[in-house]
Coordinates of all heavy atoms in Angstrom, one line a residue:
L107 N 103.5 109.9 73.5 CA 102.6 109.9 74.7 C 102.9 111.2 75.5 O 101.8 111.9 76.0 CB 103.0 108.7 75.5 CG 102.5 107.4 75.0 CD1 103.0 106.3 75.9 CD2 101.0 107.3 75.0
S108 N 104.2 111.6 75.6 CA 104.5 112.8 76.3 C 103.9 114.0 75.8 O 103.8 115.1 76.5 CB 106.0 112.9 76.5 OG 106.3 113.8 77.5
A109 N 103.7 114.1 74.5 CA 103.1 115.3 73.8 C 101.7 115.6 74.2 O 101.3 116.7 74.3 CB 103.1 115.0 72.2
F110 N 100.9 114.5 74.8 CA 99.6 114.9 75.2 C 99.3 114.5 76.6 O 98.3 115.0 77.1 CB 98.7 113.9 74.3 CG 98.8 114.1 73.0 CD1 99.5 113.3 72.2 CD2 98.0 115.3 72.3 CE1 99.6 113.6 70.6 CE2 98.1 115.5 70.9 CZ 98.9 114.7 70.2
L111 N 100.3 113.8 77.4 CA 100.2 113.4 78.7 C 101.3 114.0 79.6 O 102.2 114.5 78.9 CB 100.2 112.0 78.8 CG 99.1 111.2 77.9 CD1 99.3 109.7 78.0 CD2 97.6 111.6 78.2
S112 N 101.1 113.8 80.9 CA 102.3 114.1 81.7 C 103.5 113.5 81.4 O 103.6 112.2 81.3 CB 101.8 114.0 83.2 OG 103.0 113.9 84.1
N113 N 104.7 114.2 81.3 CA 105.9 113.5 81.0 C 106.3 112.6 82.2 O 106.9 111.6 82.0 CB 107.1 114.5 80.5 CG 107.2 115.6 81.4 OD1 107.0 115.5 82.6 ND2 107.8 116.7 80.9
S114 N 106.0 113.1 83.4 CA 106.3 112.2 84.6 C 105.6 110.9 84.4 O 106.1 109.9 84.7 CB 105.9 112.9 85.8 OG 106.7 114.2 85.9
A115 N 104.2 110.9 84.2 CA 103.4 109.7 84.2 C 103.9 108.9 83.0 O 103.8 107.7 83.1 CB 102.0 110.1 84.1
T116 N 104.1 109.5 81.9 CA 104.6 108.8 80.8 C 105.9 107.9 81.0 O 106.1 106.8 80.7 CB 105.0 109.7 79.5 OG1 103.7 110.3 79.1 CG2 105.5 108.9 78.4
T117 N 106.9 108.6 81.8 CA 108.2 107.9 82.2 C 107.9 106.8 83.1 O 108.5 105.8 82.8 CB 109.1 109.0 82.7 OG1 109.2 110.1 81.9 CG2 110.5 108.3 83.0
A118 N 107.0 107.1 84.2 CA 106.7 106.0 85.0 C 106.1 104.8 84.4 O 106.3 103.7 84.8 CB 105.7 106.6 86.1
T119 N 105.3 105.1 83.3 CA 104.5 104.0 82.7 C 105.4 103.1 81.8 O 105.5 102.0 81.7 CB 103.3 104.5 81.8 OG1 102.4 105.1 82.8 CG2 102.7 103.4 81.1
M120 N 106.4 103.9 81.2 CA 107.2 103.3 80.1 C 108.5 102.7 80.8 O 109.2 101.9 80.2 CB 107.8 104.2 79.1 CG 106.7 104.9 78.2 SD 105.6 103.7 77.4 CE 106.9 103.1 76.2
L121 N 108.7 102.9 82.1 CA 110.0 102.3 82.7 C 109.8 100.9 82.8 O 110.8 100.2 82.5 CB 110.0 103.1 84.2 CG 111.1 102.6 85.1 CD1 112.5 102.8 84.3 CD2 111.1 103.2 86.4
P122 N 108.7 100.3 83.3 CA 108.7 98.8 83.4 C 108.8 98.2 81.9 O 109.4 97.1 81.8 CB 107.4 98.5 84.0 CG 106.6 99.6 83.9 CD 107.6 100.9 83.9
V123 N 108.3 99.0 81.0 CA 108.4 98.4 79.5 C 109.9 98.4 79.1 O 110.3 97.4 78.5 CB 107.5 99.3 78.6 CG1 107.6 98.9 77.2 CG2 106.1 99.3 79.1
A124 N 110.5 99.5 79.4 CA 112.0 99.6 79.1 C 112.7 98.4 79.7 O 113.6 97.8 79.1 CB 112.5 101.0 79.4
L125 N 112.4 98.2 81.0 CA 113.1 97.1 81.6 C 112.8 95.8 81.0 O 113.8 94.9 81.0 CB 112.7 97.1 83.1 CG 113.3 98.4 84.0 CD1 112.8 98.4 85.4 CD2 114.9 98.5 84.0
A126 N 111.5 95.6 80.7 CA 111.2 94.3 80.0 C 111.9 94.1 78.6 O 112.3 93.0 78.4 CB 109.7 94.3 79.9
L127 N 112.0 95.2 78.0 CA 112.9 95.2 76.7 C 114.2 94.8 76.8 O 114.8 93.9 76.2 CB 112.8 96.6 76.0 CG 111.5 97.0 75.3 CD1 111.5 98.4 74.8 CD2 111.1 96.2 74.3
V128 N 114.8 95.3 78.0 CA 116.3 95.0 78.3 C 116.4 93.5 78.6 O 117.2 92.8 78.1 CB 116.8 95.8 79.5 CG1 118.1 95.3 79.9 CG2 116.9 97.3 79.1
A129 N 115.5 93.1 79.4 CA 115.5 91.6 79.8 C 115.3 90.7 78.6 O 115.8 89.7 78.5 CB 114.4 91.3 80.9
A130 N 114.4 91.1 77.6 CA 114.0 90.3 76.5 C 115.1 90.4 75.3 O 115.1 89.6 74.4 CB 112.7 90.7 76.0
S131 N 116.0 91.4 75.5 CA 117.0 91.6 74.3 C 118.1 90.6 74.4 O 119.0 90.7 73.4 CB 117.6 93.1 74.4 OG 118.4 93.3 75.6
K132 N 118.3 89.9 75.5 CA 119.3 88.8 75.6 C 120.8 89.6 75.5 O 121.7 89.1 74.8 CB 119.3 87.8 74.6 CG 117.9 87.0 74.7 CD 117.9 85.9 73.6 CE 116.6 85.1 73.8 NZ 116.4 84.1 72.7
G133 N 121.0 90.6 76.1 CA 122.3 91.4 76.3 C 122.5 92.4 75.2 O 123.4 93.0 75.2
K134 N 121.5 92.5 74.3 CA 121.7 93.5 73.1 C 121.3 94.9 73.7 O 121.9 95.9 73.2 CB 120.7 93.2 72.0 CG 121.1 91.9 71.3 CD 120.2 91.6 70.1 CE 120.7 90.3 69.5 NZ 119.6 89.9 68.3
L135 N 120.5 95.1 74.7 CA 120.1 96.4 75.2 C 120.5 96.4 76.8 O 120.5 95.4 77.4 CB 118.6 96.6 75.2 CG 118.0 96.9 73.9 CD1 116.5 96.9 73.9 CD2 118.6 98.2 73.2
H136 N 120.9 97.4 77.3 CA 121.2 97.7 78.6 C 120.6 98.8 79.3 O 120.3 99.8 78.7 CB 122.8 97.8 78.8 CG 123.6 96.9 78.2 ND1 123.9 95.7 78.7 CD2 124.2 96.8 76.9 CE1 124.7 94.9 78.0 NE2 124.8 95.5 76.8
D137 N 120.0 98.6 80.6 CA 119.2 99.6 81.3 C 120.0 101.0 81.4 O 119.4 102.0 81.2 CB 118.9 99.1 82.6 CG 120.0 98.7 83.4 OD1 120.9 98.3 83.0 OD2 119.9 98.9 84.8
K138 N 121.3 100.9 81.4 CA 122.0 102.2 81.7 C 122.0 103.0 80.4 O 122.1 104.3 80.5 CB 123.4 101.9 82.2 CG 124.1 102.9 83.0 CD 125.1 102.4 84.0 CE 125.4 103.5 85.0 NZ 126.5 102.9 86.0
T139 N 122.1 102.3 79.3 CA 122.1 103.1 77.9 C 120.7 103.3 77.5 O 120.6 103.9 76.4 CB 122.9 102.3 77.0 OG1 122.4 101.0 76.8 CG2 124.3 102.2 77.4
L140 N 119.7 102.9 78.2 CA 118.2 103.0 77.6 C 117.4 103.9 78.5 O 116.6 104.7 78.0 CB 117.7 101.6 77.7 CG 116.3 101.4 76.8 CD1 116.6 101.7 75.1 CD2 115.7 100.2 77.0
L141 N 117.6 103.9 79.8 CA 116.6 104.5 80.7 C 116.9 106.2 80.6 O 115.9 107.0 80.6 CB 116.8 104.1 82.1 CG 116.5 102.7 82.4 CD1 116.5 102.3 84.0 CD2 115.1 102.4 81.8
M142 N 118.1 106.6 80.6 CA 118.2 108.0 80.7 C 117.8 108.6 79.3 O 117.1 109.7 79.3 CB 119.7 108.5 80.8 CG 120.0 109.8 81.0 SD 121.8 110.3 81.3 CE 122.0 109.7 83.0
P143 N 118.1 108.1 78.1 CA 117.6 108.6 76.9 C 116.1 108.4 76.8 O 115.4 109.3 76.3 CB 118.2 107.6 75.8 CG 119.4 107.1 76.5 CD 119.2 106.9 77.8
M144 N 115.5 107.4 77.5 CA 114.0 107.3 77.4 C 113.5 108.5 78.3 O 112.5 109.1 77.8 CB 113.6 106.0 78.0 CG 112.1 105.9 78.1 SD 111.5 104.5 79.0 CE 111.8 105.3 80.7
A145 N 114.0 108.8 79.4 CA 113.5 110.0 80.2 C 113.7 111.3 79.4 O 112.8 112.1 79.5 CB 114.3 110.0 81.5
A146 N 114.8 111.4 78.7 CA 115.1 112.6 77.9 C 114.1 112.8 76.8 O 113.6 113.8 76.5 CB 116.5 112.6 77.3
A147 N 113.7 111.6 76.3 CA 112.6 111.5 75.1 C 111.2 112.1 75.8 O 110.6 112.7 75.1 CB 112.6 110.1 74.6
A148 N 111.0 111.7 77.0 CA 109.8 112.0 77.6 C 109.8 113.6 77.9 O 108.7 114.2 77.5 CB 109.5 111.3 78.9
V149 N 110.8 114.2 78.2 CA 111.0 115.6 78.4 C 110.8 116.3 77.1 O 110.1 117.2 76.9 CB 112.4 115.9 79.2 CG1 112.6 117.4 79.3 CG2 112.3 115.2 80.5
T150 N 111.6 115.8 76.1 CA 111.6 116.5 74.8 C 110.3 116.4 74.1 O 109.8 117.3 73.4 CB 112.7 115.9 74.0 OG1 113.9 115.9 74.7 CG2 113.0 116.8 72.7
G151 N 109.7 115.2 74.2 CA 108.3 114.9 73.7 C 107.2 116.0 74.1 O 106.3 116.3 73.4
G152 N 107.5 116.5 75.3 CA 106.6 117.4 75.9 C 106.5 118.7 75.1 O 105.7 119.6 75.4
I153 N 107.5 118.9 74.4 CA 107.6 120.3 73.5 C 106.9 120.1 72.2 O 106.7 121.1 71.6 CB 109.1 120.5 73.2 CG1 110.0 120.5 74.4 CG2 109.2 121.9 72.6 CD1 111.5 120.6 74.1
L154 N 106.1 119.0 71.9 CA 105.6 118.8 70.7 C 104.2 119.5 70.6 O 103.6 119.8 69.5 CB 105.4 117.3 70.3 CG 106.6 116.5 70.0 CD1 106.5 115.1 70.0 CD2 107.4 117.1 68.8
T155 N 103.5 119.7 71.8 CA 102.2 120.3 71.7 C 102.1 121.3 72.9 O 103.1 121.3 73.9 CB 101.1 119.3 72.1 OG1 101.2 118.7 73.3 CG2 101.1 118.1 71.0
L156 N 101.2 122.2 72.9 CA 101.0 123.3 74.0 C 100.7 122.5 75.3 O 101.2 123.1 76.3 CB 99.9 124.2 73.7 CG 99.7 125.4 74.5 CD1 101.0 126.3 74.4 CD2 98.5 126.3 74.1
A157 N 100.1 121.5 75.3 CA 99.7 120.8 76.5 C 100.7 119.9 77.1 O 100.6 119.2 78.1 CB 98.4 120.1 76.4
G158 N 101.8 119.7 76.2 CA 102.8 118.7 76.7 C 103.6 119.1 77.9 O 104.0 118.2 78.6
S159 N 103.9 120.3 78.1 CA 104.7 120.7 79.2 C 104.3 122.1 79.5 O 103.8 122.9 78.7 CB 106.1 120.6 78.9 OG 107.0 121.0 80.0
T160 N 104.5 122.6 80.8 CA 104.1 123.8 81.2 C 104.9 125.1 80.9 O 104.3 126.2 80.6 CB 104.1 123.9 82.8 OG1 105.2 123.5 83.4 CG2 103.0 123.0 83.3
P161 N 106.1 125.0 80.5 CA 106.8 126.3 80.0 C 106.2 127.0 78.8 O 106.0 128.2 78.8 CB 108.2 125.7 79.6 CG 108.4 124.6 80.6 CD 107.1 124.0 80.7
Q162 N 105.7 126.2 77.8 CA 105.1 126.8 76.7 C 103.7 127.3 77.0 O 103.2 128.2 76.4 CB 104.9 125.9 75.4 CG 104.4 124.6 75.6 CD 105.4 123.5 75.9 OE1 106.4 123.7 76.6 NE2 105.1 122.3 75.5
V163 N 103.1 126.7 78.1 CA 101.7 127.3 78.4 C 101.9 128.5 79.2 O 101.1 129.5 78.9 CB 101.1 126.1 79.4 CG1 99.8 126.7 79.9 CG2 100.9 124.8 78.7
I164 N 102.9 128.7 80.0 CA 103.2 129.8 80.6 C 103.5 131.0 79.7 O 103.0 132.1 79.8 CB 104.4 129.7 81.6 CG1 104.0 128.8 82.8 CG2 104.8 131.1 82.2 CD1 105.1 128.5 83.8
V165 N 104.3 130.7 78.7 CA 104.7 131.9 77.8 C 103.5 132.2 76.9 O 103.3 133.4 76.5 CB 106.0 131.5 77.0 CG1 107.1 131.4 77.8 CG2 105.6 130.5 76.0
S166 N 102.7 131.3 76.6 CA 101.4 131.5 75.8 C 100.5 132.5 76.6 O 100.1 133.4 76.1 CB 100.7 130.2 75.5 OG 99.6 130.5 74.7
G167 N 100.4 132.1 77.9 CA 99.5 133.0 78.8 C 100.1 134.4 78.9 O 99.4 135.3 78.9
V168 N 101.5 134.5 79.1 CA 102.0 135.8 79.2 C 102.0 136.7 77.9 O 101.6 137.8 78.1 CB 103.7 135.6 79.5 CG1 104.4 137.0 79.6 CG2 103.8 135.2 81.0

Side-chain angles (χ1 to χ4, degrees):
L107 286 175
S108 190
F110 300 98
L111 310 173
S112 160
N113 53 24
S114 301
T116 299
T117 305
T119 298
M120 299 304 291
L121 180 60
V123 177
L125 295 175
L127 287 175
V128 173
S131 70
K132 298 180 180 179
K134 295 180 181 179
L135 291 173
H136 304 281
D137 56 327
K138 209 158 196 178
T139 58
L140 196 66
L141 297 187
M142 187 181 289
M144 183 195 72
V149 174
T150 312
I153 311 175
L154 293 171
T155 67
L156 188 62
S159 188
T160 50
Q162 56 262 35
V163 178
I164 290 175
V165 300
S166 179
V168 170

